[in-house]
Amino acid sequence: MTLLEFALAAPHLALFGHRAAAPRPRSGVARPPPQSHRCRRKPLLAVQSRTRPTGSPAASRGAAGVLERGTKQKDRTVAIRERLLSGEAPLPSAYDTAWVAMVPAPAPAGSAPAPRYPGCVDWVLRSQRRDDGSWGPSDPSLRKDALSSTLACVLALRKWGAGGDAIERGLRFIGRNWSCVTDDSCDAPAGFDIIFPGMLARAIGMGLEIPLVRQADVDAVLWLRDSERIRGMAASGDSQAFMAYVAEGLGDLVDWDKAAAAYQRKNGSFFNSPATTAAAAIHSNNDRARDYLDTVVAKFDCSVPTVYPRSAYSRLCMVDTLEKMGISRSFLPEIKTTLDMTYRSWLANDEEIMLDMATCAMAFRLLRLHRYDVSSDALSRFSSESSFRSSIQGHLNDTEALLQLLKASHTQITEDELVLESIGSWSSALLKEQLCSGKISRTVDPAEVEYVLKFPFHSNMDRLEHKWNIEHFKKQGFQTLKSPHRTCHPDEEIVSLAVDGFRSCQASFQEELHVVERWAKEMRLDELDYARVMPLICLFPSAATMFPGEFSEARIVAAKTNILATIVDDLFDVGESREEMENLVTLIEMWDAYEQVGFFSERVEIVFRAVYDTSNDIASRAAVVQNRSVIHHIAERWVEMARVMMVEAEWRMSGHKPSMEEYMPIAEPSFGLGTTVLTFLFFVGAELSEDAVRSPEYSELFHHMNVCGRLLNDLQSCERERAQGKINSVLLLAGRHGGCVEAAKAEVRSIIAASRMELLRMLVQEGGEVPWQCRREFWNISRVVHMMYMEVDGYASPKEMMRAANEVVVEPLRVAGKMKTHTPVESDKFGQANLS
């Protein structure tokens, strides 16, 4: 069965080797006698350029528009490149700066205390919002953040006897917004119910009063801290890290020496938090904490962010975003520089990466997929659900950390990586819980969580993912820490580049679709009454995975060979005439000597000439790219495919039921990937030598790709094929399990997973006889078949498949305020795409 045996209205066709009965030719319809229909023209392969007459006003306007767009694209690229190379540029945190401002300078006994960082005190004075007397974010949805920041700034100024009027205005702001303190519907910064009451107690100790607030309301808030602290202490260690993280709200209640022994990092910080570290410096004689604060204040010029360092996370997020939006190819040198730096930090066991859950998981995934040698053992500290629940991220209900862990688990390359298997299991379960309970972090789009759960890395197509991410792109939101944290990514530049790139690709895809449609008519494929010819469907997989412009020829080749493999399979699937099938097998076996055989029927001649003429045309073009003849490779694959399809037809006609050991060597190549993949690999930019094609590595890649495709198809079609009395691996294996189909399905899924992991391992390994560009396409085809044959909500239905093809090739982006109305491609009676 073939790669793209699928149709919209004809149930006999199916996607990727889907077995179904084809209608027999209509009875009573006279056929013309067989004639020779040799292709008179060389089959179309390349996209023909469309040009306007030079010198016309339209041409001048077009040239000016192209120049302007090119200049804008260049400016956007420069902005993104600069941000990627420069690292983090975090916003100042009024809350954390206020805590740093409270750190006293060393002073001789008897001298008046003074701030160690007077510049921070001055920054607090200068940064009060004039309209309402607050500090921190002005966004109404972040009111609790503003209350926490304002109270911290009031404490800093009061401690050093500065800004009397500023203190009063800040207290009035707190009083006016007191109802938010206990309003559970308001988003709260990390540890608010401990930190705010702790600061309130400190303010009362300084003689401050909150205007407009009753004493009973103050007491209720103070009680929050004590109840939270008691619950934390009763959690048998699960909350200890979080309680240390918010320790500035506990003050002298903390054993700071013990906290330092457990949580102080090599850079002197507590959790890379300036506020917590400042509290340690205030409450204990901790020189390392003060050294860290000296560094942060010097770097950010008297104001500090809410977390530092954070550059590794920021850079990796940028790389991840560029890849998700489909524009990473424009920044390959900068991405390599970033990942080289990350890899050095990884090897050095840098705490900035290794101790942060989201950063560690994202670094592992990106490094592995970019072929750096990284071990999943580094994620062992996150291997159990309890490790998340007892972490700071667990207490913050951090959806982003869970997402990164789940994505990292999708890069498992051996069955021995049990750490990744465990992480994938519990992180997906917790994400589903968050979705059901509506507790997704405010910085994460619930739709993204649903998308990642539905389409893991091994069952997604690049261009579908890029389009989804472009249409759902959100500007970098605030991450909920002790105060809002946002890394300054150039959001508008990223979206603009991604939109331009996607539109450009679609224009190329549509040109290529016209080329394939014209070729199909030249080959007279529309005259085959038993088959459907579907250029859009057959172009879709390569367009969705090989989207860069330089792969145009590869996409056209893939679409043509998909169509050819489908009509050959359909001829065998009709099963009307053994003579026709045997005739086609012999013709393909004879290849250049086909005239010695002759044609049994007109449709056999149409099919063979399409295969033969197109293959020779492709081979002549490939020879230019590869600097050698490759027609023997292409012909060999067609011979193999025809022979195994004949075997399957004989099984069907005789009623033979093979063993599993007999079935798989036939079923793998009959899936039809061999002819398609080998042919377009000659056009992906790498030299594919004779030795590489004949190598064991090449055979292994084909084997694992075919196993995934064949068995995924069998999983989805087993019930239907059981009813039709057809052969299927699930049904064959059920006999080994006492007839239990579910047990057989479990075994098949295990076989698929093993082949999928081996394919990914071969993709990310260094070296090898097969060029990486070619190994990548084996993995891409595996992703295609995984998406198409997902057992739940897959794309195997005609309607869903056509919708996905339209999304990639035809339908414009749905970006608010910028998109025109559009009409999806429909399929005419020959499966052609109507773009008019």
Side-chain angles (χ1 to χ4, degrees):
M1 296 297 152
T2 65
L3 172 66
L4 281 170
E5 192 188 359
F6 176 91
L8 291 173
H12 70 283
L13 289 175
L15 177 64
F16 294 105
H18 191 75
R19 294 188 179 88
R24 298 179 180 272
R26 292 164 294 173
S27 60
V29 178
R31 290 180 179 273
Q35 300 176 15
S36 175
H37 294 279
R38 184 181 300 276
C39 180
R40 302 296 182 188
R41 294 167 53 192
K42 180 172 287 190
L44 281 169
L45 183 63
V47 173
Q48 307 296 313
S49 62
R50 297 179 177 180
T51 58
R52 288 192 180 99
T54 58
S56 67
S60 299
R61 289 194 301 272
V66 169
L67 182 61
E68 181 182 1
R69 287 194 299 273
T71 301
K72 288 182 178 180
Q73 267 200 343
K74 184 177 180 180
D75 292 342
R76 294 164 185 158
T77 302
V78 168
I80 296 170
R81 183 172 290 119
E82 289 177 350
R83 176 59 60 205
L84 185 55
L85 292 176
S86 64
E88 67 181 343
L91 299 175
S93 163
Y95 171 80
D96 289 83
T97 303
W99 272 102
V100 174
M102 285 188 263
V103 176
S111 61
R116 183 181 181 90
Y117 308 106
C120 291
V121 180
D122 292 339
W123 185 92
V124 169
L125 273 171
R126 296 194 309 270
S127 301
Q128 187 176 29
R129 194 166 286 106
R130 292 186 178 182
D131 56 350
D132 61 6
S134 69
W135 282 269
S138 59
D139 188 334
S141 68
L142 302 175
R143 187 62 71 196
K144 283 188 176 181
D145 297 89
L147 286 167
S148 185
S149 296
T150 300
L151 185 51
C153 289
V154 166
L155 293 178
L157 295 178
R158 179 70 169 191
K159 179 169 184 175
W160 305 119
D165 180 61
I167 291 174
E168 292 303 318
R169 294 177 62 226
L171 290 172
R172 286 198 294 273
F173 171 83
I174 295 171
R176 289 195 304 271
N177 293 276
W178 188 262
S179 61
C180 292
V181 176
T182 54
D183 186 350
D184 291 337
S185 66
C186 295
D187 288 330
F192 181 84
D193 287 347
I194 293 175
I195 293 174
F196 189 86
M199 291 193 297
L200 181 60
R202 191 180 184 93
I204 293 171
M206 290 179 172
L208 295 173
E209 294 183 0
I210 310 296
L212 308 176
V213 179
R214 299 177 305 168
Q215 184 60 44
D217 294 331
V218 172
D219 291 341
V221 171
L222 292 174
W223 178 83
L224 279 176
R225 179 183 69 161
D226 293 334
S227 62
E228 283 285 331
R229 184 169 65 89
I230 291 170
R231 285 200 295 269
M233 292 174 63
S236 301
D238 282 354
S239 298
Q240 288 183 5
F242 181 72
M243 298 302 285
Y245 176 63
V246 298
E248 64 265 36
L250 300 174
D252 291 329
L253 298 173
V254 175
D255 185 336
W256 287 99
D257 291 335
K258 184 177 180 181
Y263 302 111
Q264 192 167 19
R265 298 188 177 180
K266 293 176 182 178
N267 62 11
S269 76
F270 286 67
F271 308 101
N272 288 339
S273 166
T276 309
T277 310
I282 292 168
H283 292 281
S284 64
N285 184 27
N286 194 318
D287 290 335
R288 291 176 58 220
R290 286 188 283 268
D291 291 343
Y292 165 81
L293 295 173
D294 290 346
T295 300
V296 179
V297 172
K299 180 175 178 63
F300 294 102
D301 193 23
C302 299
S303 65
V304 301
T306 196
V307 58
Y308 176 83
R310 190 71 164 172
S311 61
Y313 178 81
S314 173
R315 291 173 189 268
L316 291 170
C317 273
M318 176 75 88
V319 171
D320 195 36
T321 299
L322 296 176
E323 292 190 345
K324 290 194 300 184
M325 300 288 279
I327 56 176
S328 60
R329 291 171 59 85
S330 299
F331 306 95
L332 294 180
E334 293 77 23
I335 289 174
K336 185 178 186 306
T337 297
T338 299
L339 294 181
D340 284 347
M341 186 186 311
T342 303
Y343 188 53
R344 289 193 295 270
S345 297
W346 181 278
L347 294 178
N349 204 30
D350 190 329
E351 290 181 335
E352 182 185 353
I353 292 176
M354 311 310 280
L355 295 183
D356 183 81
M357 195 173 286
T359 306
C360 187
M362 182 161 42
F364 171 79
R365 171 172 57 89
L366 291 174
L367 289 173
R368 169 162 283 185
L369 294 180
H370 283 264
R371 295 183 289 159
Y372 293 82
D373 184 15
V374 289
S375 170
S376 59
D377 291 345
L379 297 175
S380 59
R381 61 171 57 90
F382 313 127
S383 62
S384 65
E385 182 179 340
S386 62
S387 65
F388 177 77
R389 295 195 180 277
S390 63
S391 69
I392 295 171
Q393 288 83 3
H395 282 271
L396 297 178
N397 201 43
D398 191 343
T399 305
E400 172 65 17
L402 287 175
L403 268 179
Q404 292 300 337
L405 286 169
L406 179 60
K407 290 178 181 180
S409 75
H410 293 162
T411 64
Q412 183 178 355
I413 58 175
T414 70
E415 294 178 336
D416 295 333
E417 289 189 308
L418 300 179
V419 167
L420 296 181
E421 191 174 311
S422 175
I423 287 174
S425 176
W426 67 258
S427 61
S428 61
L430 289 184
L431 285 168
K432 290 172 185 176
E433 284 181 15
Q434 288 189 354
L435 276 174
C436 292
S437 61
K439 293 183 178 179
I440 299 295
S441 301
R442 64 183 179 186
T443 55
V444 176
D445 186 349
E448 180 184 2
V449 178
E450 293 176 347
Y451 190 87
V452 173
L453 286 170
K454 182 175 181 180
F455 300 112
F457 175 60
H458 64 261
S459 61
N460 205 348
M461 297 191 208
D462 290 335
R463 227 44 186 157
L464 278 173
E465 181 184 23
H466 297 161
K467 187 173 189 180
W468 191 94
N469 283 315
I470 293 169
E471 293 179 342
H472 291 79
F473 187 82
K474 291 175 63 177
K475 289 187 176 182
Q476 288 292 314
F478 291 104
Q479 186 176 8
T480 306
L481 300 173
K482 293 178 188 175
S483 69
H485 171 73
R486 182 174 66 187
T487 302
C488 299
H489 283 177
D491 298 327
E492 293 183 5
E493 289 85 352
I494 289 175
V495 173
S496 296
L497 272 184
V499 168
D500 287 348
F502 193 91
R503 288 172 173 168
S504 177
C505 279
Q506 272 198 328
S508 297
F509 298 161
Q510 291 168 17
E511 290 278 0
E512 293 154 12
L513 183 58
H514 286 305
V515 168
V516 176
E517 289 172 342
R518 292 196 298 271
W519 162 84
K521 290 181 178 178
E522 282 188 3
M523 295 291 101
R524 301 178 58 216
L525 302 184
D526 55 330
E527 297 178 27
L528 297 172
D529 58 353
Y530 70 89
R532 292 281 302 242
V533 180
M534 297 158 291
L536 173 62
I537 296 298
C538 291
L539 177 65
F540 163 57
S542 55
T545 55
M546 297 188 294
F547 61 90
E550 63 267 29
F551 294 148
S552 177
E553 200 161 32
R555 291 191 292 268
I556 293 172
V557 167
K560 288 182 177 181
T561 50
N562 280 341
I563 291 172
L564 293 174
T566 300
I567 64 172
V568 168
D569 178 73
D570 287 344
L571 182 67
F572 284 93
D573 203 39
V574 168
E576 179 186 84
S577 167
R578 174 186 289 273
E579 290 81 6
E580 276 190 323
M581 292 185 281
E582 291 176 342
N583 181 219
L584 182 59
V585 172
T586 305
L587 287 165
I588 293 176
E589 288 175 336
M590 295 296 289
W591 202 251
D592 287 335
Y594 69 89
E595 291 181 343
Q596 300 176 20
V597 180
F599 302 104
F600 181 80
S601 66
E602 181 183 18
R603 64 181 183 182
V604 169
E605 181 176 6
I606 292 174
V607 171
F608 175 75
R609 290 199 183 281
V611 169
Y612 180 80
D613 290 344
T614 303
S615 295
N616 279 289
D617 180 62
I618 291 171
S620 67
R621 296 173 184 271
V624 177
V625 178
Q626 297 292 325
N627 294 314
R628 68 185 183 93
S629 174
V630 300
I631 186 60
H632 58 293
H633 294 305
I634 297 174
E636 285 170 5
R637 288 297 179 181
W638 279 113
V639 170
E640 177 189 46
M641 179 178 167
R643 286 173 175 171
V644 297
M645 287 184 172
M646 188 69 220
V647 172
E648 286 192 326
E650 289 173 343
W651 286 350
R652 183 178 65 249
M653 290 183 290
S654 67
H656 174 67
K657 182 178 180 181
S659 66
M660 188 68 176
E661 291 72 21
E662 187 182 3
Y663 170 78
M664 287 303 294
I666 299 299
E668 286 181 34
S670 76
F671 196 61
L673 294 175
T675 53
T676 300
V677 176
L678 170 69
T679 308
F680 76 70
L681 285 182
F682 293 123
F683 296 91
V684 298
E687 180 184 350
L688 193 57
S689 68
E690 184 79 19
D691 289 343
V693 175
R694 305 295 185 194
S695 68
E697 180 185 16
Y698 192 83
S699 298
E700 279 293 295
L701 287 163
F702 258 116
H703 167 67
H704 292 298
M705 176 186 67
N706 281 329
V707 165
C708 289
R710 166 53 62 210
L711 296 187
L712 282 163
N713 169 246
D714 285 358
L715 269 178
Q716 192 176 81
S717 61
C718 69
E719 296 301 331
R720 175 178 53 80
E721 294 187 335
R722 177 164 60 176
Q724 295 173 347
K726 292 189 174 182
I727 302 168
N728 181 291
S729 61
V730 176
L731 303 178
L732 293 176
L733 285 173
R736 300 180 183 178
H737 298 277
C740 179
V741 172
E742 288 306 313
K745 286 183 176 181
E747 182 176 348
V748 168
R749 293 187 191 104
S750 177
I751 297 171
I752 293 169
S755 279
R756 180 178 68 237
M757 285 187 282
E758 182 60 17
L759 263 182
L760 184 56
R761 186 196 66 78
M762 297 177 77
L763 172 69
V764 301
Q765 72 180 3
E766 280 295 328
E769 292 186 78
V770 179
W772 178 80
Q773 296 95 319
C774 298
R775 300 202 305 264
R776 175 188 60 200
E777 299 314 322
F778 283 101
W779 173 251
N780 279 337
I781 293 298
S782 172
R783 294 171 71 187
V784 170
V785 295
H786 271 85
M787 172 175 267
M788 298 309 165
Y789 287 126
M790 289 193 317
E791 292 183 74
V792 180
D793 297 330
Y795 281 85
S797 73
K799 181 179 179 181
E800 281 301 301
M801 183 60 175
M802 182 55 75
R803 185 193 66 77
N806 269 298
E807 285 289 332
V808 171
V809 178
V810 182
E811 289 194 11
L813 286 164
R814 293 176 287 272
V815 180
K818 297 182 180 179
M819 295 295 101
K820 298 179 181 179
T821 58
H822 57 270
T823 303
V825 168
E826 301 292 343
S827 176
D828 68 14
K829 67 177 290 185
F830 298 114
Q832 309 291 322
N834 297 323
L835 292 169
S836 57

